[in-house]
């Protein structure tokens, strides 16, 4: 059983160390696993922290994109590596420490004993967790509304269609799918829709997240594109 835990970073700085430290290593030691940290051309001290992590952890490998290729393209790069090296499962964690890597144990326990194509961490399955974690009110309301839009047009019943915390079964998810997925922040939406289109299922587990500074203009652009793609794609 081969498992790839990959962390996508962009200006994550010291937070990537917190992500690494919260990984439940005692659980993963029974598997053949590796940790890939892939940075999307950060211009701060993220690279320094990544190099320090690698010196202390022999399971870690690093990738540095020479130019900023985008959130989705960075994920594609990590998943392509997983397919090339014949991993059975892969997990995506954000390097900004918004999603705690401690939930990986629970997520893998579910996917390894089920027929789900993916497991996602839902901030909204227990909505109080989102507020507890510091989710901005505009994002909280937007998440509820856009998730309902997605569910209505895609005949689904998700609680959080905007999470970036995923575990993938690479036997069910096909490499060729990635070619048509968004290179930006709508990658996760494309993945969700493709899984459903192929009659596979996604399981949500409740998580608590942590929020830093939010840029509302970025989220407005994302929300508009998400809304339109949920309906017309």
């Amino acid at each position: 059983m081969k498992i790839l835990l990959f962390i996508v970073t962009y200006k994550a700085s010291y937070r990537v160390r917190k992500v690494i430290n919260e990984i439940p290593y005692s659980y993963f030691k029974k598997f053949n696993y590796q940790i890939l940290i892939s940075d999307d051309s950060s211009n701060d001290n993220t690279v320094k922290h990544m190099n320090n992590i690698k010196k202390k952890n022999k399971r870690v490998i690093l990738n540095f994109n020479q130019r900023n290729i985008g959130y989705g393209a960075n994920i594609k790069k990590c998943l392509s590596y997983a397919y090339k090296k014949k991993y059975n499962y892969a997990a995506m964690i954000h390097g900004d420490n918004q999603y705690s890597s401690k939930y990986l144990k629970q997520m893998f326990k579910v996917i390894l004993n089920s027929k789900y194509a993916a497991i996602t961490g839902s901030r909204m399955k227990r909505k109080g967790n989102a507020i507890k974690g510091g989710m901005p009110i505009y994002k909280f309301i937007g998440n509820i509304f856009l998730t309902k839009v997605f569910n209505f047009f895609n005949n689904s019943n998700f609680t959080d269609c905007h999470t970036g915390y995923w575990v993938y079964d690479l036997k069910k998810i096909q490499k060729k799918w990635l070619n048509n997925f968004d290179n930006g922040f709508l990658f996760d939406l494309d993945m969700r829709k493709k899984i459903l289109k192929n009659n596979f299922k996604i399981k949500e587990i409740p998580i608590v997240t942590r929020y830093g500074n939010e840029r509302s203009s970025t989220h407005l652009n994302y929300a508009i594109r998400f809304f339109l793609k949920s309906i017309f794609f």
Side-chain angles (χ1 to χ4, degrees), residues 147-197:
T147 295
K148 286 184 179 297
V149 169
F150 180 92
N151 285 334
F152 179 80
F153 285 98
N154 293 276
N155 193 30
S156 56
N157 192 33
F158 296 114
T159 62
D160 186 358
C161 284
H162 310 280
T163 181
Y165 200 173
W166 289 72
V167 172
Y168 312 95
D169 183 338
L170 299 181
K171 299 186 297 295
K172 296 181 176 67
I173 295 169
Q174 300 177 36
K175 182 181 179 181
K176 64 182 181 181
W177 293 1
L178 305 180
N179 297 331
N180 296 319
F181 288 1
D182 190 71
N183 285 328
F185 289 112
L186 293 185
F187 175 92
D188 296 324
L189 171 62
D190 288 340
M191 176 66 79
R192 188 179 296 272
K193 295 195 73 167
K194 191 68 172 179
I195 289 173
L196 295 182
K197 186 177 180 181

Side-chain angles (χ1 to χ4, degrees), residues 11-24:
K11 296 183 179 181
S13 188
Y14 64 91
R15 299 173 189 85
V16 69
R17 288 192 288 108
K18 294 185 176 182
V19 175
I20 287 289
N21 291 339
E22 290 186 349
I23 292 173

Side-chain angles (χ1 to χ4, degrees), residues 27-151:
Y27 172 74
F28 285 106
K29 67 181 181 182
K30 59 186 175 183
F31 301 109
N32 179 7
Y33 78 95
Q34 193 171 39
I35 302 168
L36 167 63
I37 309 176
S38 182
D39 182 71
D40 201 17
S41 194
S42 297
N43 57 7
D44 59 359
N45 62 355
T46 301
V47 171
K48 175 184 175 182
H49 287 288
M50 289 170 61
N51 285 324
N52 287 337
I53 289 169
K54 180 172 173 55
K55 290 177 183 178
K56 299 176 182 179
N57 193 326
K58 64 180 182 180
R59 297 275 187 175
V60 171
I61 58 172
L62 305 178
N63 172 68
F64 303 103
N65 297 331
Q66 295 304 306
R67 61 179 180 84
N68 186 275
I69 60 177
Y71 169 76
N74 200 16
I75 298 171
K76 291 179 185 181
K77 201 165 190 177
C78 295
L79 287 174
S80 293
Y81 174 84
Y83 286 113
K84 180 180 179 181
K85 297 297 182 178
K86 301 188 184 307
Y87 283 91
N88 305 105
Y89 297 89
M92 174 176 67
I93 318 150
H94 288 188
D96 62 4
N97 198 38
Q98 181 182 130
Y99 306 105
S100 173
S101 50
K102 70 180 182 181
Y103 294 107
L104 287 170
K105 178 180 178 180
Q106 182 182 354
M107 295 170 81
F108 270 98
K109 278 188 171 182
V110 174
I111 202 166
L112 292 177
N113 295 284
S114 69
K115 295 182 179 180
Y116 294 111
I119 310 296
T120 63
S122 171
R123 300 157 293 182
M124 307 294 285
K125 202 167 181 65
R126 298 171 184 163
K127 292 182 172 56
N129 286 348
I131 299 299
K132 181 180 177 181
M135 179 184 282
I137 294 300
Y138 76 87
K139 194 170 185 180
F140 180 80
I141 296 172
N143 192 320
I144 294 173
F145 172 73
L146 290 173
T147 295
K148 286 184 179 297
V149 169
F150 180 92
N151 285 334

